Amino acid sequence: MPDITVTLSSSSQPQPTWPDYLQASWLRCAHQTSATLWHPPHSAKGQTLQSLRQRKRDLLTTGEMALEDLYEFMEGRPCALLLTDESGCLLARTGHPDTLAELEALGFGPGAFFSEGRIGTNAINLAALEGVPLCVSGPQHFNQTLHPWHSCASPVYNSNGRQVAIMALVCRVEEATVGDLALTVSAGRELAHLLQMETLMQESQHHLSELYALLDGMDDGVLAWDPQGRLRYLNALAANRLRLDPALCLGQPLEQHLLLPQRLQLAIKGQTPLSHVEVTLERLGGQEGEFINALVSLKPLPGPEGVSFIALLHPVDRLRAIHQLRQTVPELSALVGESSAMRKLLRHARQAAQSQGPILLRGEEEVGKAQLAEAIHFGSERAAGPLITLNCQALPSERMALELMGSDEAGQERAGKFELAHGGTLVLEQVECLSAPMQAALLQLLKTGRIQRFDSARVLPLKVRIIATSSAPLEQKVQEGQFGRQLLYALQACELWLPGLRERAADLPGLISQQLGAQGREPVRQFSPAALDCLLAYPWPGNLGELRSAVEHALLHASQGLIPPEALPAAIRHGHQLVADEVVGQPLLTLAELERQAILRSAHACKGQVSLMARQLGISRTTLWRRLKLIGLGPADYHG
């Protein structure tokens, strides 16, 4: 279009009463363009405009709809409604045909840029620059060609506060009304609201697509239904397991296609979650129902319209694993406990399993602390959660923090044992070997339920039961500064002492049979009466570990038939004979001498640990100290 020269007279200076932004715009324009010579605006055309419209597709789709709705409200008023992007490029327009034609003649067609340096002061450029709604009318335009025009513009912002568009109303000066700016602002806000809603819808759709992709990629079958019982989601695995067609089932009541067992119905009625529950489902349809065994978890989802539910159908191999686990996990009722000491221990262990606090298992080495810890876990409400066992003695001190606390280091992010045991139980064997920093971290977890990864400021809330085991004199280590006093107090909230085999004479036959069966030989071998006498008479200073080795040794060295005494380890054979030789032919001892020898043997076996001696002898520490003083024994007599 050729340059247009206008002959309208106008002041070449801005008026003092004009807003500051207008005066500043006029000063800029005086150095960039002419007030009398009209230069049509630069315009994006062809492929450039097509590419721009493609990038602004979402803005165009919503903006054109908003312009049409607004102009329909204006009932044919001679004006134009314009939508530009944040750079002032005209993307969409609507309005009276005559007004649009006049603007087109000036060069304001699709792709035109409302640039101040090219066309002078204008509302769209100033609104984008100032970031506020404003009007430029008549002689307020720097270029005289625009003096017949009145324009109002309002910037449009997205939810992040970034300017994304300009909404403008343009008309002849004589057609302007007092409410034009307010109308433009309202239209801009409505467009911003529509854009935000569109963004939220797109994000929701994107997240929903990601969720569906995640659910379809799970190893579990997933089905969900709303508060009215209508099936809302069914992933491919669940459809395959239950032999249901999503096209026929979705949107329909679940009860028309699947009969749930009573346990699931009661959980749904009571809005109670379930975890890894073995059930039998019945698929309805056809002449006869079809029964499907499944391992199911149920999750209630409360909402404003009621409670929805999600059910997970775990893989069949996990169901088999649960069956196998139930056959192999130690249970408190399966532990051999015929002796009074073990019956008392197991009674306290059952009570401890139902509690929530930490448990400290103490006793000599190889008395079954690890087995009891596992039995307590599987006998508690955390049985479905993980069971993590860590031997603190076998862990190098330089790796202890990493193993227990985990790491946030880039490229090496990993969860520690505390996190891995979340929802279940962490067994810390030989807890006295924990380093001082890890003792402090354990105490913090017991007190607050939170930990921090050792190289991170992130605080992690955890629900984990701690079971600590120890064969060391923890009180002595506290006195020596090697173990935290407060940590010991925290662990002693529930302290269980496991007796040695010499205190479990009544359990030995059952333990021996258990060890014979554990060897996996068919048929199960048996000891001869003479060999069994040797085993029952031996004091077992090595406890269960020594018993296990003795049984393996006997099976290895015995031929077919009953296992003779000669197949037993020499220490057990000789130990039995020594006991017999000591008894036969010896004069009777007084009760006082028997008591003295019992105390000396106990002191030797317990290495002078008074607490263990008192437990072994079945008397209190106070009584033991009184007996020691009465028979004239001092520390030198029992610490040797």
Side-chain angles (χ1 to χ4, degrees), residues 551-596:
V551 172
E552 293 176 358
H553 183 280
L555 289 171
L556 185 63
H557 291 81
S559 56
Q560 299 299 321
L562 296 176
I563 303 172
E566 291 74 21
L568 293 172
I572 296 177
R573 296 198 315 271
H574 296 158
H576 168 65
Q577 188 64 41
L578 180 62
V579 171
D581 291 344
E582 287 179 350
V583 174
V584 177
Q586 293 293 324
L588 293 176
L589 300 178
T590 64
L591 289 176
E593 183 60 27
L594 286 173
E595 180 181 83
R596 182 178 182 279

Side-chain angles (χ1 to χ4, degrees), residues 399-447:
R399 292 194 56 200
M400 193 171 289
L402 181 63
E403 289 291 330
L404 276 171
M405 310 298 289
S407 171
D408 267 348
E409 185 179 348
Q412 196 185 355
E413 182 173 349
R414 57 181 291 184
K417 293 296 190 292
F418 285 132
E419 293 174 68
L420 293 175
H422 177 64
T425 303
L426 174 62
V427 180
L428 296 175
E429 296 182 335
Q430 305 291 11
V431 69
E432 71 276 3
C433 296
L434 280 179
S435 63
M438 291 305 96
Q439 291 183 32
L442 176 57
L443 181 60
Q444 180 189 27
L445 176 63
L446 294 176
K447 287 185 174 181

Side-chain angles (χ1 to χ4, degrees), residues 274-551:
L274 297 176
S275 176
H276 294 80
V277 176
E278 186 180 351
V279 297
T280 300
L281 307 172
E282 182 179 359
R283 188 175 70 87
L284 305 178
Q287 296 182 351
E288 294 183 0
E290 182 178 357
F291 295 96
I292 302 168
N293 291 327
L295 190 66
V296 176
S297 292
L298 183 71
K299 175 70 174 178
L301 300 174
E305 298 181 357
V307 180
S308 303
F309 290 88
I310 289 182
L312 301 180
L313 305 178
H314 303 296
V316 179
D317 57 350
R318 197 179 304 177
L319 179 60
R320 297 194 188 103
I322 290 292
H323 279 300
Q324 184 178 4
L325 187 64
R326 286 174 179 168
Q327 295 172 2
T328 59
V329 297
E331 297 180 357
L332 288 168
S333 59
L335 297 180
V336 177
E338 297 298 325
S339 64
S340 59
M342 279 301 294
R343 287 200 303 269
K344 180 179 179 181
L345 173 67
L346 293 178
R347 184 171 66 252
H348 291 160
R350 291 187 183 92
Q351 296 172 349
Q354 304 308 313
S355 67
Q356 300 296 323
I359 299 174
L360 177 60
L361 304 182
R362 302 183 66 174
E364 301 171 15
E365 294 182 358
E366 293 289 347
V367 291
K369 295 187 287 293
Q371 294 88 337
L372 182 60
E374 292 182 10
I376 289 175
H377 167 76
F378 288 109
S380 72
E381 62 181 25
R382 300 173 185 268
L387 172 64
I388 306 296
T389 300
L390 181 67
N391 189 324
C392 303
Q393 189 176 28
L395 194 63
S397 57
E398 62 273 12
R399 292 194 56 200
M400 193 171 289
L402 181 63
E403 289 291 330
L404 276 171
M405 310 298 289
S407 171
D408 267 348
E409 185 179 348
Q412 196 185 355
E413 182 173 349
R414 57 181 291 184
K417 293 296 190 292
F418 285 132
E419 293 174 68
L420 293 175
H422 177 64
T425 303
L426 174 62
V427 180
L428 296 175
E429 296 182 335
Q430 305 291 11
V431 69
E432 71 276 3
C433 296
L434 280 179
S435 63
M438 291 305 96
Q439 291 183 32
L442 176 57
L443 181 60
Q444 180 189 27
L445 176 63
L446 294 176
K447 287 185 174 181
T448 66
R450 293 176 172 84
I451 66 162
Q452 284 180 270
R453 288 180 176 175
F454 81 97
D455 55 359
S456 170
R458 185 157 52 120
V459 176
L460 302 173
L462 298 177
K463 292 184 178 179
V464 56
R465 152 76 69 80
I466 299 295
I467 299 181
T469 76
S470 177
S471 56
L474 294 180
E475 292 81 2
Q476 181 178 338
K477 287 189 173 292
V478 168
Q479 295 295 331
E480 296 170 353
Q482 298 178 13
F483 199 77
R485 184 183 302 276
Q486 295 304 319
L487 176 58
L488 178 60
Y489 292 158
L491 293 174
Q492 284 180 320
C494 180
E495 184 179 34
L496 301 178
W497 285 83
L498 281 74
L501 279 190
R502 59 185 171 277
E503 302 176 64
R504 301 175 57 185
D507 295 331
L508 277 173
L511 291 171
I512 293 169
S513 297
Q514 189 181 73
Q515 291 299 326
L516 286 170
Q519 300 302 317
R521 305 195 183 197
E522 295 293 342
V524 178
R525 304 285 300 279
Q526 299 293 331
F527 285 102
S528 68
L532 189 59
D533 286 342
C534 290
L535 293 171
L536 296 179
Y538 187 65
W540 300 107
N543 295 303
L544 292 173
E546 188 180 10
L547 175 62
R548 182 166 51 250
S549 297
V551 172

Side-chain angles (χ1 to χ4, degrees), residues 38-339:
W38 176 249
H39 301 289
H42 293 300
S43 183
K45 299 183 181 299
Q47 187 62 36
T48 302
L49 178 59
Q50 197 67 23
S51 175
L52 181 62
R53 289 173 62 86
Q54 181 65 24
R55 291 201 309 271
K56 305 289 184 178
R57 184 177 65 253
D58 294 340
L59 173 62
L60 265 173
T61 303
T62 307
E64 287 177 336
M65 178 182 64
L67 292 180
E68 294 292 342
D69 290 347
L70 178 59
Y71 190 69
E72 183 179 353
F73 168 76
M74 300 174 74
E75 298 180 344
R77 177 182 166 186
C79 69
L81 298 174
L82 311 180
L83 177 69
T84 76
D85 66 5
E86 68 278 12
S87 69
C89 179
L90 183 59
L91 298 178
R93 58 181 183 165
T94 189
H96 196 280
D98 294 342
T99 306
L100 294 176
E102 289 186 75
L103 292 174
E104 183 85 33
L106 292 173
F108 295 115
F113 285 91
F114 286 79
S115 169
E116 185 181 76
R118 181 75 176 178
I119 65 174
T121 304
N122 64 89
I124 290 177
N125 181 270
L126 277 178
L129 184 63
E130 298 293 330
V132 294
L134 51 82
C135 284
V136 177
S137 183
Q140 292 179 338
H141 292 96
F142 181 80
N143 193 288
Q144 296 177 7
T145 305
L146 299 179
H147 283 192
W149 295 94
H150 169 83
S151 57
C152 298
S154 178
V156 178
Y157 296 91
N158 65 12
S159 58
N160 296 323
R162 186 173 68 86
Q163 191 179 114
V164 294
I166 305 294
M167 179 78 80
L169 184 152
V170 180
C171 64
R172 287 280 181 171
V173 171
E174 59 269 20
E175 298 293 340
T177 66
V178 176
D180 284 347
L181 181 59
L183 182 64
T184 307
V185 171
S186 177
R189 288 176 178 171
E190 179 63 19
L191 176 57
H193 177 70
L194 291 174
L195 290 174
Q196 184 176 5
M197 292 297 295
E198 182 68 23
T199 301
L200 291 175
M201 288 290 292
Q202 290 179 357
E203 290 179 353
S204 297
Q205 188 64 36
H206 178 68
H207 292 158
L208 193 60
S209 299
E210 288 182 336
L211 177 61
Y212 284 162
L214 177 64
L215 293 177
D216 284 334
M218 288 179 61
D219 293 334
D220 298 321
V222 183
L223 62 158
W225 59 94
D226 61 19
Q228 287 71 43
R230 295 187 295 262
L231 190 62
R232 290 304 183 191
Y233 179 76
L234 187 71
N235 74 349
L237 277 175
N240 184 55
R241 281 288 310 278
L242 301 174
R243 298 171 183 82
L244 297 176
D245 185 354
L248 300 177
C249 299
L250 291 178
Q252 296 187 2
L254 180 63
E255 61 185 11
Q256 293 182 6
H257 303 276
L258 206 62
L259 180 61
L260 303 181
Q262 186 177 16
R263 183 167 185 184
L264 278 182
Q265 292 181 14
L266 291 175
I268 293 170
K269 183 178 180 180
Q271 302 175 15
T272 305
L274 297 176
S275 176
H276 294 80
V277 176
E278 186 180 351
V279 297
T280 300
L281 307 172
E282 182 179 359
R283 188 175 70 87
L284 305 178
Q287 296 182 351
E288 294 183 0
E290 182 178 357
F291 295 96
I292 302 168
N293 291 327
L295 190 66
V296 176
S297 292
L298 183 71
K299 175 70 174 178
L301 300 174
E305 298 181 357
V307 180
S308 303
F309 290 88
I310 289 182
L312 301 180
L313 305 178
H314 303 296
V316 179
D317 57 350
R318 197 179 304 177
L319 179 60
R320 297 194 188 103
I322 290 292
H323 279 300
Q324 184 178 4
L325 187 64
R326 286 174 179 168
Q327 295 172 2
T328 59
V329 297
E331 297 180 357
L332 288 168
S333 59
L335 297 180
V336 177
E338 297 298 325
S339 64

